[in-house]
Amino acid sequence: MNHGTRIASAVIATVTATALLAGIAPAAMASDGPSRAERTAGIAEQATGTADIAPTTQLADGTQQAVTDTGDGLLAVTAPATASGSISATGDGITIGIALPATSDVKGIKTDSGTIVYPGAAKNTDLAIQATDDGGVRSLITINNANAAKEYRFPLDLPAGAVPEQQEDGSVLVLTGADEDADIIGAFDAPWAKGANGSAVPTSYRIEDGTLIQTVAFDQNTAFPVVADPWWNPSTWNWKKIIKKTGSWVKARAKKCGIGALSAYIPVQAHHVSVNIQRARNGLRLVKFAGGPWGYVSVAAAGCLVNQLT
């Protein structure tokens, strides 16, 4: 082979190699995997599921809003455009605000599943929000490693006079006031946290200066990432609404107990009964049967049967 032939062959080989490299580069880039927001959403959704995530619409200010029609009125949840904002939950003309435990003001990213993610919003921690189709909202904390904080503060913006009240099961009710006539605005479900292997991680709430604080007690044996979740259940828990739909059922049970006065009392003074249920004697507790308002009904029936409602 002469010099000219060798040079021509080298040029062809170089061009061919360049073409091959150009052809595989996009594939290599595509294999980089999902974004951090997508990974965070996937981790959160593995813990919560996606069946009850409500669709949201982006508003002009960049917030995302979900509106649920309960048949008795509209419930609206608004997720902030950035992590420095607050969740807004509105129902029955009452609005509460839930600020996020962010240390960095990052923009929210809505994923295809409807989860809104704030990647890197706190040190070694990602935050996410899921509006739920019952008008509620989950504030999800994804703790990436053991260097993350163990306490997460959610400052609450409650209506004037409203008070949070911690329950024996760890949940937190929000009441319109501290007196016996107070109505229930909504509730933060009992806290939970899950490790990457699905195991429960010890967690608890406390209320301090109008702030809901969730402590997640991970340790050297914890499988990361850990997902934890304050879940706000709105005024669908309102006893007046529940009694409207289930009052006849409760009345019938009360009559079977031979307590006609209670039967007549319940639909008229429902808010008294709801508070009495919280304080029922002999260890009766606010049981959230099937994760919804039927818990009130079950406890009302139990209280009736053992004659323990005050």
Side-chain angles (χ1 to χ4, degrees):
M1 182 182 293
N2 60 32
H3 292 293
T5 303
R6 286 198 296 270
I7 292 171
S9 299
V11 170
I12 291 170
T14 302
V15 171
T16 302
T18 302
L20 286 171
L21 288 172
I24 66 172
M29 292 175 64
S31 68
D32 287 344
S35 67
R36 180 170 179 174
E38 291 169 330
R39 287 195 301 271
T40 299
I43 292 166
E45 289 160 7
Q46 185 175 359
T48 65
T50 60
D52 65 344
I53 298 178
T56 60
T57 301
Q58 184 167 318
L59 304 182
D61 59 359
T63 60
Q64 296 280 344
Q65 187 176 74
V67 178
T68 301
D69 187 348
T70 64
D72 294 313
L74 299 179
L75 299 174
V77 170
T78 304
T82 68
S84 64
S86 293
I87 300 167
S88 173
T90 301
D92 287 339
I94 296 173
T95 298
I96 75 156
I98 309 167
L100 299 176
T103 55
S104 299
D105 187 23
V106 298
K107 184 178 179 180
I109 300 170
K110 180 181 174 181
T111 62
D112 291 341
S113 56
T115 300
I116 301 158
V117 180
Y118 305 83
K123 186 177 180 181
N124 300 305
T125 304
D126 303 311
L127 302 177
I129 293 172
Q130 292 173 347
T132 55
D133 57 16
D134 59 359
V137 60
R138 288 190 284 258
S139 306
L140 295 154
I141 311 161
T142 299
I143 302 167
N144 293 313
N145 55 58
N147 294 319
K150 291 189 174 182
E151 285 193 351
Y152 296 88
R153 305 175 71 89
F154 296 84
L156 304 178
D157 184 8
L158 302 179
V163 293
E165 183 179 281
Q166 192 146 13
Q167 306 299 298
E168 289 183 10
D169 68 351
S171 63
V172 174
L173 294 181
V174 177
L175 307 174
T176 55
D179 59 295
E180 289 294 320
D181 291 333
D183 288 325
I184 299 170
I185 295 173
F188 290 97
D189 277 11
W192 60 263
K194 294 180 183 178
N197 56 5
S199 60
V201 178
T203 185
S204 61
Y205 290 149
R206 75 176 189 274
I207 300 293
E208 187 177 284
D209 298 328
T211 295
L212 178 74
I213 303 170
Q214 182 166 9
T215 299
V216 185
F218 54 80
D219 58 27
Q220 68 274 10
N221 298 317
T222 301
F224 292 94
V226 171
V227 178
D229 171 34
W231 186 357
W232 169 253
N233 275 317
S235 54
T236 50
W237 287 78
N238 187 299
W239 182 257
K240 291 178 180 177
K241 283 188 174 182
I242 296 163
I243 207 67
K244 181 179 179 181
K245 295 181 178 180
T246 61
S248 60
W249 189 92
V250 177
K251 285 175 68 178
R253 269 62 186 171
K255 286 179 179 178
K256 286 184 178 180
C257 293
I259 310 175
L262 177 61
S263 170
Y265 178 79
I266 285 177
V268 177
Q269 300 292 341
H271 56 286
H272 288 283
V273 176
S274 68
V275 174
N276 285 338
I277 287 171
Q278 299 167 45
R279 296 169 171 79
R281 296 174 184 171
N282 258 5
L284 285 176
R285 294 169 63 185
L286 190 66
V287 180
K288 291 187 284 293
F289 176 71
W294 286 101
Y296 286 108
V297 177
S298 64
V299 174
C304 170
L305 289 169
V306 299
N307 195 22
Q308 288 297 326
L309 287 181
T310 57

